[in-house]
Amino acid sequence: MLPENIESKEGNSLSDENLFDQEDYIKARVDEYIWQKSTQAGISRQRFLQILATMVGGTAIGGLAKPLPARSQTNTSNAFKTKGNKILKPLPPGYISHSKGTLEMNWQTMYGRGYLVPNDWFYVHNRNTPPPFDPATWRLRIEGTGVSIPCEFTYDEIIAMPSISVTSAIECAANGRRFFEEAYNTPLSGTRWRLGAIGVAEWTGVPLSILLERARLKSTARDVLVEGADLASLDEKGTKPSKFNSVVPIAKATADNSLVVYAMNGEPLPPDHGQPCRVIFPGWGGNANVKWIERIEVSETPIYTQWVLEQMVLIGPDYPAISPYKGKPITYQNVKSAFELAWPATLSAGNYLLRGRSWSGKGKIVRVEVSLDGGKTWQFARLREPNLPFAWVRWDVDWNPVPGEYSLQARATDNLGNTQPSTVPWNDVGLLYGGVVSHPVTVREG
């Protein structure tokens, strides 16, 4: 059963449409957690809340649950230790490498290119070197209380199933982190992305719903955990590597465009992008799109992991902790825009066609405004087809600048009315920067 104050169009599950209202989704998750833990403890919800009220700041609710694995930067995999670079593909010309595991797209290289980002040019964020893949031994296991028949699939079985292709963006939740640093003059840990931790590709694979049906998905299923082969941290005893995972509600897992992917832009999935298989949940933060997947757990009760509770959350003065979460949970990406220019850019005076791209994790872009004078005046950009939801739209404006220093800005609005703000509240990890960015350009004599 569910908490009495959770309502849904689907009876026992939030619908995919309801997931767009993040505040309702988070409230439902917290209510479910309180109900679940009070039931496990054999006490009433009211008594559980009384206990919670006695805890400092109301954030110690997790103490009644099983201890979470401790975070560690130690990697016990000898295979990974012996590797140098964590990325297997060569560094494309013009790309930015922040560390041995990251490649950021240089937006200047996208000027004049097509809608999709080629595999070789797609951004990368690897915590470790991609694991080896043997199609003869690899298996994808589906298990948990939310399915009636736990099962395994071979690589050959998956690629033989009915498949579809979805054009979608994958974007790191930390895309734009550097702008938090610049706006608040405060350094942050983690990769200092500008706006190049995003790419759009055509992903081909099997709808996850088909695999779940093969495992006899129960109507009472609530959450889906996807686990990859990526060794991410140590467990609480410090004796065994744990694997990176993410959790989505059943409504998102069974959406038509949620896939177990084995091909990218018409080619077998490259090692750096998840070979042999990864999941794609269009619109959600990059962490949800787990690479090198090995196991899927379906549960009749909500699943809470270290990554969900502690890392994929917004933490800061404007984001009070919502127990059991350490901050405000991240689901869908926000609206962003980028110019197809170097940073900073230097151009020659004369006629110029400014180009850029805008995107939203919740739908499609319906309007892009561009300012050529630092936000004093704005004009509408021309939107170019295709303009696909959960991907991006290309746009352009004519510009005939004279020599001087300029600050270009772009702001987009999606079909749900979400618009880029001029400022963004601080969060301690630097996630989901969606504010209007000022792009510096120097124009010289032609």
Side-chain angles (χ1 to χ4, degrees):
M1 61 180 294
L2 294 176
E4 60 184 8
N5 59 343
I6 294 182
E7 298 180 355
S8 168
K9 295 180 180 179
E10 297 181 5
N12 72 337
S13 174
L14 289 168
S15 69
D16 190 36
E17 179 182 352
N18 289 343
L19 295 179
F20 282 122
D21 192 329
Q22 191 175 32
E23 299 301 329
D24 286 349
Y25 171 67
I26 293 171
K27 182 178 184 300
R29 294 286 293 181
V30 171
D31 285 343
E32 285 181 305
Y33 184 86
I34 293 172
W35 169 81
Q36 178 180 330
K37 294 307 174 185
S38 62
T39 301
Q40 291 174 355
I43 59 178
S44 68
R45 172 187 171 92
Q46 181 179 8
R47 177 56 181 152
F48 186 82
L49 292 173
Q50 289 174 344
I51 295 173
L52 174 62
T54 67
M55 298 179 179
V56 179
T59 61
I61 190 171
L64 297 179
K66 181 180 178 181
L68 293 170
R71 277 183 279 185
S72 171
Q73 298 301 315
T74 304
N75 192 332
T76 60
S77 169
N78 290 331
F80 292 156
K81 282 184 177 180
T82 58
K83 298 285 186 178
N85 202 329
K86 297 176 183 178
I87 298 175
L88 298 184
K89 68 182 182 182
L91 179 67
Y95 270 49
I96 305 160
S97 180
H98 297 281
S99 69
K100 292 183 177 180
T102 61
L103 292 180
E104 178 171 0
M105 181 178 68
N106 185 333
W107 276 98
Q108 181 183 17
T109 65
M110 295 305 296
Y111 192 93
R113 287 186 172 268
Y115 191 80
L116 303 179
V117 178
N119 295 356
D120 292 345
W121 294 73
F122 210 92
Y123 92 97
V124 178
H125 183 193
N126 289 346
R127 293 172 181 82
N128 294 294
T129 306
F133 165 53
D134 182 352
T137 59
W138 178 85
R139 298 291 184 273
L140 174 60
R141 187 167 76 256
I142 298 182
E143 59 191 14
T145 60
V147 296
S148 299
I149 305 177
C151 53
E152 286 188 344
F153 298 94
T154 67
Y155 182 71
D156 288 341
E157 287 173 335
I158 287 179
I159 63 176
M161 291 181 183
S163 64
I164 64 172
S165 293
V166 171
T167 298
S168 173
I170 291 184
E171 179 186 12
C172 181
N175 198 23
R177 175 180 281 144
R178 182 174 292 193
F179 298 114
F180 275 114
E181 295 184 333
E182 295 174 359
Y184 290 89
N185 194 29
T186 302
L188 286 164
S189 61
T191 304
R192 303 179 69 239
W193 307 105
R194 284 200 187 275
L195 287 172
I198 183 176
V200 170
E202 181 186 69
W203 310 96
T204 301
V206 181
L208 179 54
S209 59
I210 291 180
L211 298 180
L212 297 181
E213 288 172 7
R214 298 284 182 97
R216 298 286 180 88
L217 180 69
K218 296 180 181 179
S219 61
T220 51
R222 299 292 299 149
D223 273 359
V224 175
L225 177 146
V226 182
E227 182 179 84
D230 190 9
L231 297 173
S233 63
L234 298 178
D235 65 9
E236 65 272 16
K237 296 180 181 179
T239 57
K240 183 177 75 172
S242 67
K243 296 180 178 181
F244 180 78
N245 59 66
S246 189
V247 179
V248 297
I250 193 66
K252 186 62 178 176
T254 56
D256 292 342
N257 58 0
S258 294
L259 306 182
V260 171
V261 168
Y262 55 78
M264 178 180 181
N265 288 331
E267 300 177 0
L269 202 59
D272 287 308
H273 300 290
Q275 184 190 67
C277 292
R278 72 180 301 166
V279 288
I280 296 293
F281 297 117
W284 280 48
N287 68 294
N289 303 283
V290 181
K291 299 189 285 190
W292 314 308
I293 61 174
E294 295 181 329
R295 186 175 75 92
I296 296 176
E297 178 185 347
V298 186
S299 175
E300 292 182 284
T301 56
I303 300 174
Y304 301 92
T305 70
Q306 175 193 17
W307 301 101
V308 173
L309 295 178
E310 297 186 14
Q311 297 201 4
M312 294 313 300
V313 292
L314 302 176
I315 303 171
D318 293 281
Y319 304 104
I322 308 173
S323 296
Y325 299 96
K326 193 175 179 180
K328 181 178 179 179
I330 293 173
T331 56
Y332 285 91
Q333 293 278 18
N334 48 9
V335 184
K336 296 186 183 70
S337 299
F339 287 91
E340 295 174 355
L341 292 170
W343 191 289
T346 300
L347 304 175
S348 298
N351 294 323
Y352 198 81
L353 183 67
L354 281 176
R355 289 174 173 169
R357 306 189 187 211
S358 298
W359 60 95
S360 169
K362 291 186 176 181
K364 64 184 294 184
I365 299 298
V366 296
R367 183 173 70 252
V368 175
E369 300 165 274
V370 173
S371 175
L372 306 174
D373 52 15
K376 296 177 182 177
T377 61
W378 295 85
Q379 62 179 292
F380 290 114
R382 293 180 291 262
L383 306 188
R384 304 299 188 183
E385 293 294 336
N387 181 4
L388 303 177
F390 311 116
W392 55 24
V393 66
R394 295 171 295 175
W395 47 261
D396 56 60
V397 295
D398 297 312
W399 191 32
N400 186 18
V402 298
E405 301 294 326
Y406 294 86
S407 179
L408 307 185
Q409 297 181 353
R411 65 186 180 199
T413 302
D414 68 18
N415 60 307
L416 297 181
N418 300 300
T419 301
Q420 292 179 256
S422 57
T423 60
V424 178
W426 169 267
N427 71 83
D428 294 349
V429 190
L431 305 178
L432 293 189
Y433 190 92
V436 174
V437 171
S438 295
H439 198 123
V441 177
T442 298
V443 177
R444 295 176 177 172
E445 293 286 353

